[in-house]
Amino acid sequence: MAGANSVLTDNSRLSRSDQLLFRRESLLTLLGGIVILLLVFLATTNVLGRWIFSLPISGYVDWVEQSMAFFAFLGIAYTQRQGGHIRMDILVSHIHGWRLWAVELLSTFLMLLVTLVLIYGSYLHFYRAYNIGDSSLDINLPTWPAKLVVPFALTILALRLVLQCWGYIRAIRQRTERPVAVPLIEDAASVAAAEADSVMGN
């Protein structure tokens, strides 16, 4: 049966793992959205406070800087699961069957390798900030919580990429046209129709 945004599901262990991870990814994306909402309130309070009372929020820029990691990275694995990242389909759109899944497997595996390198580097960056007590310039907010978000979110992304590699390998073995737990490639008309339905609230 069809899952959200052309990700199919069934009763296999792969699909159950996909759905379990997807629930965690959805919660993290919701948390990122809440951070954005809080930033909107913070910005509104800052503007009104400066305009009405000539009293802006102390450390406003520091709070904005530290919160950026939350809404920039917490939804990255969710977007990967939904196939929402920018990609070039000029060549891939002309490939079909198991060859398509082989190409997708190769690109996903390369993404996984890059992600693992980024996890290592971002964790070292967090660990250094934690050890030296790094803080923001204005109100001395500790920077390590925001820096910890990056390796954490990238680890969730790595788990998603592992599951997708598993899905593509399974698709190649089964020679199926519609594998589970991976985003299916849609034509431009299908994408436009889905976006129109989303805008209309369907």
Side-chain angles (χ1 to χ4, degrees), residues 68-86:
M68 287 177 67
F70 290 85
F71 64 78
F73 285 93
L74 287 180
I76 193 170
Y78 175 93
T79 307
Q80 176 64 27
R81 196 266 187 180
Q82 301 293 73
H85 288 298
I86 296 173

Side-chain angles (χ1 to χ4, degrees), residues 3 7 26 28 30 53 63-64 66 74 79 107 116 127 152 157:
V7 178
S26 299
L28 291 176
L30 176 62
F53 305 107
W63 285 108
V64 171
Q66 297 308 306
L74 287 180
T79 307
S107 63
L116 293 175
Y127 189 69
F152 171 75
L157 174 62

Side-chain angles (χ1 to χ4, degrees), residues 73-143:
F73 285 93
L74 287 180
I76 193 170
Y78 175 93
T79 307
Q80 176 64 27
R81 196 266 187 180
Q82 301 293 73
H85 288 298
I86 296 173
R87 50 182 286 151
M88 185 65 68
D89 287 338
I90 293 177
L91 296 177
V92 176
S93 61
H94 297 289
I95 305 173
H96 303 284
W98 70 269
R99 293 179 181 84
L100 171 61
W101 308 132
V103 171
E104 294 286 357
L105 173 61
L106 176 61
S107 63
T108 303
F109 181 71
L110 292 175
M111 287 172 55
L112 176 60
L113 293 181
V114 172
T115 301
L116 293 175
V117 172
L118 292 174
I119 290 171
Y120 176 74
S122 60
Y123 177 79
L124 291 180
H125 194 49
F126 147 74
Y127 189 69
R128 182 170 55 252
Y130 180 79
N131 274 341
I132 67 174
D134 188 31
S135 61
S136 62
L137 295 176
D138 191 5
I139 58 173
N140 295 321
L141 282 176
T143 61

Side-chain angles (χ1 to χ4, degrees), residues 13 63 78 95 115 118 149 153 155 159 183 185 194 197:
R13 181 184 302 175
W63 285 108
Y78 175 93
I95 305 173
T115 301
L118 292 174
V149 169
T155 300
L159 292 175
I185 297 176
D197 286 342

